[in-house]
PDB file of all heavy atoms in Angstrom:
ATOM      1  N   ARG A 165      15.777   7.091   4.728  1.00 95.00           N
ATOM      2  CA  ARG A 165      16.592   7.312   3.526  1.00 95.00           C
ATOM      3  C   ARG A 165      16.897   5.975   2.838  1.00 95.00           C
ATOM      4  O   ARG A 165      16.834   5.860   1.619  1.00 95.00           O
ATOM      5  CB  ARG A 165      17.881   8.052   3.887  1.00 95.00           C
ATOM      6  CG  ARG A 165      18.709   8.441   2.666  1.00 95.00           C
ATOM      7  CD  ARG A 165      19.936   9.283   3.013  1.00 95.00           C
ATOM      8  NE  ARG A 165      20.948   8.455   3.679  1.00 95.00           N
ATOM      9  CZ  ARG A 165      21.361   8.610   4.944  1.00 95.00           C
ATOM     10  NH1 ARG A 165      20.862   9.576   5.691  1.00 95.00           N
ATOM     11  NH2 ARG A 165      22.269   7.825   5.466  1.00 95.00           N
ATOM     12  N   ILE A 166      17.197   4.956   3.618  1.00 96.00           N
ATOM     13  CA  ILE A 166      17.466   3.623   3.074  1.00 96.00           C
ATOM     14  C   ILE A 166      16.205   3.056   2.422  1.00 96.00           C
ATOM     15  O   ILE A 166      16.264   2.497   1.320  1.00 96.00           O
ATOM     16  CB  ILE A 166      18.000   2.683   4.180  1.00 96.00           C
ATOM     17  CG1 ILE A 166      19.397   3.137   4.600  1.00 96.00           C
ATOM     18  CG2 ILE A 166      17.988   1.233   3.718  1.00 96.00           C
ATOM     19  CD1 ILE A 166      19.868   2.536   5.907  1.00 96.00           C
ATOM     20  N   PHE A 167      15.067   3.217   3.079  1.00 96.00           N
ATOM     21  CA  PHE A 167      13.812   2.722   2.515  1.00 96.00           C
ATOM     22  C   PHE A 167      13.468   3.441   1.212  1.00 96.00           C
ATOM     23  O   PHE A 167      13.052   2.812   0.240  1.00 96.00           O
ATOM     24  CB  PHE A 167      12.665   2.865   3.517  1.00 96.00           C
ATOM     25  CG  PHE A 167      12.749   1.941   4.704  1.00 96.00           C
ATOM     26  CD1 PHE A 167      12.009   2.203   5.840  1.00 96.00           C
ATOM     27  CD2 PHE A 167      13.553   0.814   4.695  1.00 96.00           C
ATOM     28  CE1 PHE A 167      12.058   1.357   6.936  1.00 96.00           C
ATOM     29  CE2 PHE A 167      13.618  -0.040   5.795  1.00 96.00           C
ATOM     30  CZ  PHE A 167      12.871   0.229   6.921  1.00 96.00           C
ATOM     31  N   GLU A 168      13.621   4.763   1.199  1.00 94.00           N
ATOM     32  CA  GLU A 168      13.341   5.537  -0.019  1.00 94.00           C
ATOM     33  C   GLU A 168      14.241   5.080  -1.166  1.00 94.00           C
ATOM     34  O   GLU A 168      13.788   4.916  -2.301  1.00 94.00           O
ATOM     35  CB  GLU A 168      13.543   7.031   0.233  1.00 94.00           C
ATOM     36  CG  GLU A 168      12.457   7.666   1.059  1.00 94.00           C
ATOM     37  CD  GLU A 168      12.751   9.124   1.394  1.00 94.00           C
ATOM     38  OE1 GLU A 168      13.757   9.686   0.891  1.00 94.00           O
ATOM     39  OE2 GLU A 168      11.975   9.700   2.177  1.00 94.00           O
ATOM     40  N   THR A 169      15.520   4.874  -0.857  1.00 96.00           N
ATOM     41  CA  THR A 169      16.462   4.408  -1.874  1.00 96.00           C
ATOM     42  C   THR A 169      16.074   3.022  -2.369  1.00 96.00           C
ATOM     43  O   THR A 169      16.089   2.752  -3.578  1.00 96.00           O
ATOM     44  CB  THR A 169      17.901   4.395  -1.308  1.00 96.00           C
ATOM     45  OG1 THR A 169      18.243   5.712  -0.871  1.00 96.00           O
ATOM     46  CG2 THR A 169      18.899   3.917  -2.352  1.00 96.00           C
ATOM     47  N   THR A 170      15.714   2.140  -1.450  1.00 95.00           N
ATOM     48  CA  THR A 170      15.305   0.782  -1.824  1.00 95.00           C
ATOM     49  C   THR A 170      14.112   0.818  -2.760  1.00 95.00           C
ATOM     50  O   THR A 170      14.106   0.136  -3.800  1.00 95.00           O
ATOM     51  CB  THR A 170      14.971  -0.042  -0.557  1.00 95.00           C
ATOM     52  OG1 THR A 170      16.125  -0.072   0.290  1.00 95.00           O
ATOM     53  CG2 THR A 170      14.539  -1.453  -0.916  1.00 95.00           C
ATOM     54  N   LEU A 171      13.104   1.604  -2.427  1.00 93.00           N
ATOM     55  CA  LEU A 171      11.903   1.674  -3.269  1.00 93.00           C
ATOM     56  C   LEU A 171      12.207   2.311  -4.624  1.00 93.00           C
ATOM     57  O   LEU A 171      11.696   1.869  -5.655  1.00 93.00           O
ATOM     58  CB  LEU A 171      10.788   2.433  -2.547  1.00 93.00           C
ATOM     59  CG  LEU A 171      10.238   1.740  -1.301  1.00 93.00           C
ATOM     60  CD1 LEU A 171       9.200   2.615  -0.617  1.00 93.00           C
ATOM     61  CD2 LEU A 171       9.662   0.365  -1.628  1.00 93.00           C
ATOM     62  N   ARG A 172      13.059   3.329  -4.628  1.00 92.00           N
ATOM     63  CA  ARG A 172      13.430   3.967  -5.899  1.00 92.00           C
ATOM     64  C   ARG A 172      14.171   2.985  -6.795  1.00 92.00           C
ATOM     65  O   ARG A 172      13.875   2.868  -7.990  1.00 92.00           O
ATOM     66  CB  ARG A 172      14.274   5.212  -5.645  1.00 92.00           C
ATOM     67  CG  ARG A 172      14.664   5.934  -6.937  1.00 92.00           C
ATOM     68  CD  ARG A 172      15.386   7.244  -6.684  1.00 92.00           C
ATOM     69  NE  ARG A 172      16.513   7.152  -5.785  1.00 92.00           N
ATOM     70  CZ  ARG A 172      17.716   6.656  -6.116  1.00 92.00           C
ATOM     71  NH1 ARG A 172      17.932   6.231  -7.336  1.00 92.00           N
ATOM     72  NH2 ARG A 172      18.694   6.630  -5.227  1.00 92.00           N
ATOM     73  N   LEU A 173      15.118   2.242  -6.234  1.00 93.00           N
ATOM     74  CA  LEU A 173      15.874   1.276  -7.031  1.00 93.00           C
ATOM     75  C   LEU A 173      14.992   0.109  -7.464  1.00 93.00           C
ATOM     76  O   LEU A 173      15.159  -0.417  -8.572  1.00 93.00           O
ATOM     77  CB  LEU A 173      17.106   0.788  -6.256  1.00 93.00           C
ATOM     78  CG  LEU A 173      18.179   1.854  -6.020  1.00 93.00           C
ATOM     79  CD1 LEU A 173      19.319   1.302  -5.171  1.00 93.00           C
ATOM     80  CD2 LEU A 173      18.703   2.413  -7.335  1.00 93.00           C
ATOM     81  N   LEU A 174      14.062  -0.284  -6.629  1.00 90.00           N
ATOM     82  CA  LEU A 174      13.098  -1.318  -7.022  1.00 90.00           C
ATOM     83  C   LEU A 174      12.292  -0.839  -8.217  1.00 90.00           C
ATOM     84  O   LEU A 174      12.086  -1.576  -9.186  1.00 90.00           O
ATOM     85  CB  LEU A 174      12.175  -1.650  -5.844  1.00 90.00           C
ATOM     86  CG  LEU A 174      11.024  -2.616  -6.119  1.00 90.00           C
ATOM     87  CD1 LEU A 174      11.550  -3.984  -6.518  1.00 90.00           C
ATOM     88  CD2 LEU A 174      10.137  -2.727  -4.880  1.00 90.00           C
ATOM     89  N   ALA A 175      11.860   0.414  -8.172  1.00 87.00           N
ATOM     90  CA  ALA A 175      11.085   0.990  -9.274  1.00 87.00           C
ATOM     91  C   ALA A 175      11.916   1.090 -10.544  1.00 87.00           C
ATOM     92  O   ALA A 175      11.430   0.815 -11.639  1.00 87.00           O
ATOM     93  CB  ALA A 175      10.545   2.362  -8.876  1.00 87.00           C
ATOM     94  N   GLU A 176      13.186   1.500 -10.407  1.00 89.00           N
ATOM     95  CA  GLU A 176      14.047   1.709 -11.575  1.00 89.00           C
ATOM     96  C   GLU A 176      14.549   0.415 -12.202  1.00 89.00           C
ATOM     97  O   GLU A 176      14.662   0.314 -13.422  1.00 89.00           O
ATOM     98  CB  GLU A 176      15.254   2.580 -11.195  1.00 89.00           C
ATOM     99  CG  GLU A 176      14.899   4.014 -10.884  1.00 89.00           C
ATOM    100  CD  GLU A 176      16.089   4.821 -10.362  1.00 89.00           C
ATOM    101  OE1 GLU A 176      17.227   4.280 -10.316  1.00 89.00           O
ATOM    102  OE2 GLU A 176      15.875   5.983  -9.979  1.00 89.00           O
ATOM    103  N   HIS A 177      14.865  -0.578 -11.376  1.00 87.00           N
ATOM    104  CA  HIS A 177      15.550  -1.776 -11.872  1.00 87.00           C
ATOM    105  C   HIS A 177      14.755  -3.062 -11.700  1.00 87.00           C
ATOM    106  O   HIS A 177      15.240  -4.129 -12.086  1.00 87.00           O
ATOM    107  CB  HIS A 177      16.907  -1.932 -11.167  1.00 87.00           C
ATOM    108  CG  HIS A 177      17.790  -0.729 -11.301  1.00 87.00           C
ATOM    109  ND1 HIS A 177      18.359  -0.350 -12.504  1.00 87.00           N
ATOM    110  CD2 HIS A 177      18.184   0.199 -10.402  1.00 87.00           C
ATOM    111  CE1 HIS A 177      19.071   0.746 -12.328  1.00 87.00           C
ATOM    112  NE2 HIS A 177      18.975   1.110 -11.066  1.00 87.00           N
ATOM    113  N   GLY A 178      13.574  -2.983 -11.087  1.00 82.00           N
ATOM    114  CA  GLY A 178      12.818  -4.193 -10.811  1.00 82.00           C
ATOM    115  C   GLY A 178      13.426  -4.948  -9.646  1.00 82.00           C
ATOM    116  O   GLY A 178      14.533  -4.634  -9.184  1.00 82.00           O
ATOM    117  N   TYR A 179      12.728  -5.966  -9.179  1.00 84.00           N
ATOM    118  CA  TYR A 179      13.211  -6.719  -8.024  1.00 84.00           C
ATOM    119  C   TYR A 179      14.505  -7.455  -8.349  1.00 84.00           C
ATOM    120  O   TYR A 179      15.427  -7.484  -7.537  1.00 84.00           O
ATOM    121  CB  TYR A 179      12.141  -7.696  -7.541  1.00 84.00           C
ATOM    122  CG  TYR A 179      12.533  -8.406  -6.276  1.00 84.00           C
ATOM    123  CD1 TYR A 179      12.492  -7.742  -5.053  1.00 84.00           C
ATOM    124  CD2 TYR A 179      12.971  -9.726  -6.302  1.00 84.00           C
ATOM    125  CE1 TYR A 179      12.872  -8.380  -3.879  1.00 84.00           C
ATOM    126  CE2 TYR A 179      13.348 -10.375  -5.139  1.00 84.00           C
ATOM    127  CZ  TYR A 179      13.298  -9.698  -3.931  1.00 84.00           C
ATOM    128  OH  TYR A 179      13.682 -10.313  -2.780  1.00 84.00           O
ATOM    129  N   ASP A 180      14.592  -8.027  -9.532  1.00 84.00           N
ATOM    130  CA  ASP A 180      15.799  -8.767  -9.898  1.00 84.00           C
ATOM    131  C   ASP A 180      17.023  -7.868  -9.951  1.00 84.00           C
ATOM    132  O   ASP A 180      18.138  -8.312  -9.662  1.00 84.00           O
ATOM    133  CB  ASP A 180      15.608  -9.491 -11.237  1.00 84.00           C
ATOM    134  CG  ASP A 180      14.609 -10.637 -11.138  1.00 84.00           C
ATOM    135  OD1 ASP A 180      14.387 -11.136 -10.016  1.00 84.00           O
ATOM    136  OD2 ASP A 180      14.047 -11.019 -12.182  1.00 84.00           O
ATOM    137  N   GLY A 181      16.840  -6.603 -10.314  1.00 88.00           N
ATOM    138  CA  GLY A 181      17.950  -5.664 -10.401  1.00 88.00           C
ATOM    139  C   GLY A 181      18.264  -4.948  -9.093  1.00 88.00           C
ATOM    140  O   GLY A 181      19.256  -4.211  -9.001  1.00 88.00           O
ATOM    141  N   LEU A 182      17.436  -5.141  -8.086  1.00 90.00           N
ATOM    142  CA  LEU A 182      17.661  -4.528  -6.777  1.00 90.00           C
ATOM    143  C   LEU A 182      18.750  -5.302  -6.048  1.00 90.00           C
ATOM    144  O   LEU A 182      18.703  -6.533  -5.986  1.00 90.00           O
ATOM    145  CB  LEU A 182      16.367  -4.557  -5.953  1.00 90.00           C
ATOM    146  CG  LEU A 182      16.441  -4.016  -4.526  1.00 90.00           C
ATOM    147  CD1 LEU A 182      16.671  -2.512  -4.537  1.00 90.00           C
ATOM    148  CD2 LEU A 182      15.156  -4.360  -3.778  1.00 90.00           C
ATOM    149  N   THR A 183      19.737  -4.586  -5.507  1.00 95.00           N
ATOM    150  CA  THR A 183      20.793  -5.229  -4.717  1.00 95.00           C
ATOM    151  C   THR A 183      21.024  -4.442  -3.435  1.00 95.00           C
ATOM    152  O   THR A 183      20.830  -3.222  -3.402  1.00 95.00           O
ATOM    153  CB  THR A 183      22.130  -5.308  -5.486  1.00 95.00           C
ATOM    154  OG1 THR A 183      22.606  -3.979  -5.715  1.00 95.00           O
ATOM    155  CG2 THR A 183      21.978  -6.066  -6.806  1.00 95.00           C
ATOM    156  N   VAL A 184      21.458  -5.151  -2.411  1.00 96.00           N
ATOM    157  CA  VAL A 184      21.816  -4.495  -1.154  1.00 96.00           C
ATOM    158  C   VAL A 184      23.009  -3.565  -1.404  1.00 96.00           C
ATOM    159  O   VAL A 184      23.059  -2.450  -0.879  1.00 96.00           O
ATOM    160  CB  VAL A 184      22.126  -5.534  -0.054  1.00 96.00           C
ATOM    161  CG1 VAL A 184      22.669  -4.861   1.206  1.00 96.00           C
ATOM    162  CG2 VAL A 184      20.874  -6.344   0.275  1.00 96.00           C
ATOM    163  N   GLU A 185      23.931  -3.991  -2.248  1.00 96.00           N
ATOM    164  CA  GLU A 185      25.096  -3.175  -2.571  1.00 96.00           C
ATOM    165  C   GLU A 185      24.662  -1.867  -3.234  1.00 96.00           C
ATOM    166  O   GLU A 185      25.202  -0.797  -2.933  1.00 96.00           O
ATOM    167  CB  GLU A 185      26.060  -3.946  -3.479  1.00 96.00           C
ATOM    168  CG  GLU A 185      26.729  -5.126  -2.799  1.00 96.00           C
ATOM    169  CD  GLU A 185      25.849  -6.371  -2.673  1.00 96.00           C
ATOM    170  OE1 GLU A 185      24.742  -6.430  -3.275  1.00 96.00           O
ATOM    171  OE2 GLU A 185      26.252  -7.283  -1.934  1.00 96.00           O
ATOM    172  N   GLY A 186      23.721  -1.954  -4.153  1.00 96.00           N
ATOM    173  CA  GLY A 186      23.216  -0.756  -4.822  1.00 96.00           C
ATOM    174  C   GLY A 186      22.540   0.194  -3.852  1.00 96.00           C
ATOM    175  O   GLY A 186      22.729   1.419  -3.924  1.00 96.00           O
ATOM    176  N   VAL A 187      21.758  -0.351  -2.935  1.00 97.00           N
ATOM    177  CA  VAL A 187      21.105   0.489  -1.917  1.00 97.00           C
ATOM    178  C   VAL A 187      22.159   1.154  -1.040  1.00 97.00           C
ATOM    179  O   VAL A 187      22.061   2.348  -0.729  1.00 97.00           O
ATOM    180  CB  VAL A 187      20.106  -0.340  -1.071  1.00 97.00           C
ATOM    181  CG1 VAL A 187      19.576   0.492   0.099  1.00 97.00           C
ATOM    182  CG2 VAL A 187      18.959  -0.850  -1.935  1.00 97.00           C
TER     183      VAL A 187
END
Side-chain angles (χ1 to χ4, degrees):
R165 186 175 72 245
I166 291 165
F167 290 162
E168 286 175 6
T169 302
T170 302
L171 294 177
R172 181 174 52 77
L173 293 176
L174 174 63
E176 291 174 4
H177 304 291
Y179 185 75
D180 291 338
L182 177 68
T183 65
V184 173
E185 292 78 10
V187 172

